[in-house]
Amino acid sequence: MKYKYIITLFSCFILQLSITRAQSVYKIYVANTGAESASGTREQPVNNVQKAIELASKVQGDKVKKIEIWVRGGTYYIDHSIDLIQGKTWTSTLPLSIEAYNKEPVIFHGGVTVGHDRLKPVTSKAYLSRFQPEFRDRIRQIDLKELGIDPGQLRPVGFSRPFGPTWMEVFVNGAPGQIARWPNAGTVPIDSVLQIGSTISDKKVVAVKPTEVKNAVMAIKPTEVNKEIVSIKPVDSAAKNTTVAVVDTTKKGGVFFYNDPRPSKWKEPKKAWLSGFFMWGYADDAIPVESIDTIRRIIKTAMSTRYGFGSGKPWRAYYAYNIPEEIDIPGEYYVDTDTKILYVLPPAKLSSLELSVLETPMLQVEGVNNFQIKNIHFTCSRGMGIYTERTKGLRVNQCKFNNLGMMAVFVGKSMLSVDGDKVVTNLNAKARVTGDILQYIYDNTTFDSEGGSDNGILNCEVYQTGAGGIYLSGGNRIALSASKSFVKNCLIHDYNRIAKTFMPGIYIAGVGNTIANCEIYNAPSVAILLHGNNHIIEYNDIHSTTLEVDDMGAIYHGRDPSERGNIVRYNYLHDLGGLNKTMGVYHDDGACGTQVIGNVFFRAGTVAGFIGGGQDNVYINNLFLNTRYAFHIDKRLTGWAKGVVQPKGLFQKRLEAVNYTKPPYSTAYPTLKEYFNEGPAVPQRNKFENNVMVNIEKKFEGDTTLVYFGKHNFETIGDPGFKNYPKQNFKIKRHSLIYDNVPAFIAPPLKKIGYRKVK
């Protein structure tokens, strides 16, 4: 009887605990089989996430501690952004999560799936005559008008150009198709240049009213009409009601010869575009063709680029696209924007064909704390996956992002506009999808993006994106207040399909953020682009990046001596670069105050660690293996880059912007307050100590008098005692020569490095 009483009492306790727990978590269900007017219970789910947010926003009460939105498996077609915006679509103060129910496959889709019955034989005799004979019978057409799709217009993309949503893209069997191009792979060298075209020196700044800004991506029509707009950005708060436009005053395109006879066969050269590195290997561009002289074999472009056109370097090359005559491999396509007919060459086995439509972010989160989204797949959109600002405790967990025109996740403000005397964001729907934020931060280095704090993107996969992977900012640079946000354990690859330079796998800005345990690979340019202070980059596996560029690094920062306190430690950087000069870690143009500790550099580009004229950079306890140069240092600020350290020059402006002679900068970085007094043009206090170099062609490049070398750096040929050198197992054996020559060397924590797939 006594035991029966105890069991009954325990059962009552469990029942009460269940009731309390049920009361503390409020659940709402979403399913494709649901209804807009449903109550949101498991038995009566709503049919879209926005409706679930509306129901969740009304939930209040002392007993409810958390709200969970559970999304049943299926594909949810998103034709406008899902908004989670404090004060607008969200009024609750409770923590919220949106998650795939029981890990059922949930897809947020920003386009349309085209049925096989929509693929028709080509009816236009004019186009049939343009297609190559062996492919005419296999090419199919899709009437976009019948689908209600505006394909949009191609636009210039590349270095220093604003990013924004793409035109309509085609995805075949889950992979990006290719706008019909020549050649199908690789590039064609630029032959002799007749006219380099306009350069940045031919452009000038004009001021216009914000109301005159019609399209921040393409062009505007200010008081000076018929001028190409190269870029657009707001001015500082001292200038009211004005926006700066950089205007090309000449509009001279490049003119150059071509050798291959192929371009002579294109019937509408004015519709063709060129993409490539036209002058410098860190500046890609994509611009339209104006004309092709088939007699003299001359191409003339319809727009200028930032640096003009050149030849004679391996990266000065291009490919051409948007040419129907070049449809010759499965997945290639061409859109006639006048008739709105899509022509595509499908593969022999076509399982799916998708068209991107949505331009705005698939999910927008603003001013909301303690929100998590988990196990959702974002795909097939012209814009970005998730946009957030002013959040705290945000978690994007175990999500997948692919086939997006822009990036996967953007944390912090993007497009900037002007409202009276204030620089603000989000004046209209375009604000979240277009912008020149990278150029804006270059010109306004203390900009607070209001990215929030303690935000995390973790356990996600990002691939096949158009313009980078994850953009993370947060923290105040003037106050040196840390955001403590992070990107952890993410797999990021194949992320520069459209814009190739300065659109990194991870962009990190602000103060006190972390990138850890990510694997980043397969990209033409940078893996991690760094701005700001006191960031930590650790335990990452970075490889097969900087494949097409020149004078770039897998981890890159530069041109601001106030950006200090950053740590790059315990990373594996390997198999970097292509035919051009590239670096593992690149401290460009006077970058200062970074510690590079305990990393493994294996076949890490041309130079593993590159200091371009900066101060207080420290390399300690690194392994340099099978790379041409372990280290480089120069004093470029005394030569071609001396203008940045001149009185009232770029560096003075950037240092004064953070009050560098006063706390918190003078206390956080004690040497900084004497930056100009000590002679900023000559590198100082850079250190290279306790490093091991194995099978390096040459230890150092540049002026080695500009760096302090410790007594215990060790260089050797052969295997100094790794567990399995041929198989790249660089665990150091107990009796390795390394410990004999560098007694204080600490073995890199190899087991902690890299991405771990979450089941």
Side-chain angles (χ1 to χ4, degrees):
M1 194 64 147
K2 181 177 179 181
Y3 294 114
K4 185 181 291 186
Y5 174 77
I6 293 173
I7 291 171
T8 302
L9 186 64
F10 181 75
S11 298
C12 291
F13 172 76
I14 294 297
L15 179 61
Q16 182 63 39
L17 183 63
S18 300
I19 293 172
T20 303
R21 185 172 183 182
Q23 289 175 332
S24 66
V25 180
Y26 191 95
K27 298 181 180 180
I28 300 172
Y29 291 84
V30 180
N32 274 326
T33 57
E36 177 81 15
S37 58
S39 61
T41 64
R42 186 172 179 178
E43 293 74 23
Q44 295 183 327
V46 295
N47 61 1
N48 67 84
V49 174
Q50 192 68 65
K51 182 63 178 179
I53 290 172
E54 179 185 330
L55 295 176
S57 183
K58 298 175 183 178
V59 177
Q60 303 290 345
D62 296 335
K63 292 183 178 180
V64 178
K65 303 299 182 184
K66 180 183 178 183
I67 305 171
E68 297 174 344
I69 295 175
W70 291 96
V71 186
R72 300 304 303 263
T75 299
Y76 296 80
Y77 291 94
I78 312 297
D79 59 6
H80 60 277
S81 297
I82 299 170
D83 283 345
L84 183 64
I85 300 175
Q86 188 68 44
K88 182 181 177 183
T89 63
W90 184 249
T91 56
S92 179
T93 58
L94 296 171
L96 172 69
S97 67
I98 299 175
E99 185 172 347
Y101 178 79
N102 200 27
K103 293 188 178 181
E104 293 176 356
V106 174
I107 298 172
F108 287 1
H109 195 290
V112 298
T113 300
V114 179
H116 285 56
D117 60 322
R118 294 282 186 176
L119 280 73
K120 308 289 187 180
V122 177
T123 58
S124 169
K125 293 182 180 179
Y127 271 105
L128 284 171
S129 68
R130 296 175 67 177
F131 297 144
Q132 298 178 44
E134 59 267 42
F135 302 107
R136 286 173 186 163
D137 293 339
R138 294 167 52 193
I139 295 173
R140 293 292 179 264
Q141 69 177 39
I142 299 171
D143 191 331
L144 300 176
K145 297 190 298 297
E146 292 181 357
L147 296 172
I149 296 176
D150 180 356
Q153 299 287 337
L154 299 176
R155 61 174 173 81
V157 292
F159 177 76
S160 80
R161 295 192 186 275
F163 60 74
T166 62
W167 43 91
M168 183 197 77
E169 292 188 276
V170 179
F171 300 96
V172 180
N173 293 347
Q178 171 62 57
I179 302 176
R181 60 167 278 180
W182 171 82
N184 287 327
T187 55
V188 180
I190 296 173
D191 205 336
S192 302
V193 174
L194 295 173
Q195 177 178 290
I196 69 169
S198 305
T199 66
I200 190 63
S201 61
D202 299 315
K203 301 171 176 68
K204 70 177 182 178
V205 172
V206 297
V208 297
K209 295 180 180 179
T211 54
E212 293 177 300
V213 180
K214 302 300 183 184
N215 187 327
V217 174
M218 286 290 293
I220 61 175
K221 298 296 183 182
T223 53
E224 293 194 13
V225 296
N226 300 322
K227 304 295 184 183
E228 177 196 339
I229 305 303
V230 179
S231 64
I232 182 169
K233 58 191 177 182
V235 297
D236 60 29
S237 58
K240 299 181 179 180
N241 288 315
T242 56
T243 296
V244 165
V246 182
V247 179
D248 181 356
T249 57
T250 66
K251 290 193 71 175
K252 288 195 303 184
V255 181
F256 59 91
F257 287 101
Y258 64 92
N259 276 324
D260 195 290
R262 192 72 200 173
S264 300
K265 299 180 180 180
W266 304 336
K267 292 186 178 180
E268 292 186 282
K270 279 183 174 292
K271 293 186 177 180
W273 286 64
L274 304 182
S275 177
F277 296 87
F278 301 138
M279 181 59 77
W280 301 115
Y282 52 81
D284 67 313
D285 213 335
I287 57 175
V289 171
E290 179 175 310
S291 64
I292 295 179
D293 182 337
T294 60
I295 304 300
R296 295 188 295 165
R297 291 191 178 179
I298 293 174
I299 293 177
K300 182 178 181 181
T301 67
M303 292 179 64
S304 65
T305 68
R306 186 177 181 88
Y307 299 114
F309 283 77
S311 60
K313 298 290 186 181
W315 61 82
R316 288 176 179 163
Y318 67 96
Y319 68 87
Y321 62 101
N322 204 45
I323 308 160
E325 289 86 354
E326 298 301 337
I327 299 179
D328 60 358
I329 60 173
E332 277 196 300
Y333 63 92
Y334 173 80
V335 177
D336 186 323
T337 55
D338 295 326
T339 63
K340 292 185 170 54
I341 299 294
L342 164 66
Y343 300 96
V344 61
L345 178 61
K349 293 183 179 180
L350 178 64
S351 58
S352 67
L353 193 146
E354 301 161 286
L355 310 178
S356 63
V357 177
L358 183 67
E359 294 187 356
T360 58
M362 303 183 79
L363 172 65
Q364 298 177 150
V365 186
E366 297 179 22
V368 177
N369 296 336
N370 302 312
F371 167 66
Q372 173 175 252
I373 185 162
K374 187 176 181 180
N375 281 318
I376 305 293
H377 181 185
F378 295 79
T379 191
C380 195
S381 173
R382 302 183 193 185
M384 66 182 77
I386 299 175
Y387 172 89
T388 83
E389 63 176 66
R390 297 175 287 110
T391 59
K392 182 177 181 179
L394 167 79
R395 295 291 183 270
V396 180
N397 190 4
Q398 297 183 52
C399 291
K400 182 184 290 187
F401 303 85
N402 77 318
N403 295 348
L404 304 176
M406 295 171 67
M407 65 289 298
V409 182
F410 195 107
V411 179
K413 291 182 176 178
S414 58
M415 178 60 191
L416 293 152
S417 303
V418 176
D419 182 14
D421 62 349
K422 297 179 180 179
V423 176
V424 298
T425 62
N426 296 353
L427 292 182
N428 52 61
K430 289 288 186 182
R432 302 177 183 92
V433 299
T434 64
D436 203 359
I437 191 65
L438 298 179
Q439 184 62 45
Y440 186 82
I441 288 180
Y442 182 85
D443 296 329
N444 302 270
T445 53
T446 60
F447 168 63
D448 186 349
S449 71
E450 298 185 38
S453 61
D454 186 31
N455 299 309
I457 298 94
L458 64 160
N459 308 318
C460 293
E461 183 177 7
V462 177
Y463 62 104
Q464 294 170 187
T465 56
I470 296 170
Y471 287 58
L472 176 70
S473 63
N476 186 286
R477 288 204 64 229
I478 294 177
L480 279 184
S481 57
S483 170
K484 298 182 181 179
S485 295
F486 58 87
V487 180
K488 290 186 178 179
N489 201 52
C490 289
L491 187 65
I492 304 170
H493 57 97
D494 301 277
Y495 51 82
N496 279 139
R497 185 175 68 255
I498 296 169
K500 295 187 176 182
T501 58
F502 291 91
M503 300 291 180
I506 303 176
Y507 172 78
I508 186 171
V511 181
N513 300 307
T514 298
I515 302 171
N517 291 102
C518 294
E519 183 176 358
I520 308 174
Y521 65 95
N522 279 0
S525 187
V526 177
I528 296 175
L529 178 60
L530 173 71
H531 274 302
N533 299 73
N534 304 340
H535 301 304
I536 297 176
I537 300 172
E538 61 183 2
Y539 303 117
N540 300 290
D541 181 0
I542 300 173
H543 61 95
S544 306
T545 65
T546 60
L547 296 176
E548 297 180 22
V549 294
D550 174 75
D551 194 24
M552 292 294 293
I555 299 176
Y556 179 90
H557 70 127
R559 290 218 156 194
D560 190 344
S562 71
E563 293 183 335
R564 298 183 177 224
N566 298 303
I567 299 174
V568 179
R569 65 188 179 195
Y570 316 136
N571 302 283
Y572 183 29
L573 295 98
H574 60 105
D575 299 291
L576 304 174
L579 299 176
N580 306 319
K581 185 168 186 176
T582 55
M583 296 72 173
V585 179
Y586 193 173
H587 318 271
D588 197 12
D589 293 352
C592 297
T594 298
Q595 296 183 56
V596 182
I597 303 170
N599 302 280
V600 178
F601 297 89
F602 176 70
R603 297 199 293 252
T606 312
V607 183
F610 192 106
I611 298 177
Q615 302 180 357
D616 299 295
N617 298 296
V618 175
Y619 278 70
I620 296 176
N621 216 82
N622 299 284
L623 277 174
F624 299 95
L625 312 166
N626 297 72
T627 301
R628 185 174 182 183
Y629 298 104
F631 189 77
H632 168 104
I633 190 166
D634 61 54
K635 50 182 180 180
R636 62 184 60 187
L637 303 189
T638 65
W640 61 266
K642 64 183 179 182
V644 298
V645 293
Q646 296 301 307
K648 298 183 179 180
L650 182 67
F651 282 12
Q652 182 177 343
K653 292 177 181 178
R654 292 185 168 181
L655 288 169
E656 289 178 351
V658 298
N659 301 311
Y660 74 104
T661 61
K662 299 176 181 179
Y665 277 78
S666 62
T667 51
Y669 319 115
T671 63
L672 183 58
K673 61 180 178 292
E674 300 298 329
Y675 182 79
F676 287 106
N677 296 332
E678 292 179 339
V682 179
Q684 299 179 54
R685 295 177 301 277
N686 295 294
K687 183 186 295 186
F688 191 88
E689 190 169 18
N690 273 34
N691 297 291
V692 174
M693 293 158 281
V694 180
N695 297 322
I696 298 294
E697 182 178 322
K698 190 175 181 181
K699 290 187 296 185
F700 307 117
E701 180 187 55
D703 188 346
T704 57
T705 65
L706 302 174
V707 62
Y708 168 76
F709 293 100
K711 297 180 181 179
H712 297 292
N713 294 303
F714 173 52
E715 181 185 13
T716 187
I717 300 296
D719 184 352
F722 294 122
K723 186 172 182 179
N724 195 328
Y725 194 0
K727 294 187 177 181
Q728 300 176 36
N729 184 339
F730 303 122
K731 181 179 180 180
I732 302 173
K733 295 178 181 178
R734 182 180 302 176
H735 300 295
S736 169
L737 292 174
I738 291 172
Y739 295 128
D740 294 337
N741 290 273
V742 188
F745 190 81
I746 301 172
L750 301 178
K751 289 185 178 181
K752 294 182 179 181
I753 295 174
Y755 165 80
R756 304 289 188 271
K757 187 174 182 179
V758 178
K759 296 182 180 180

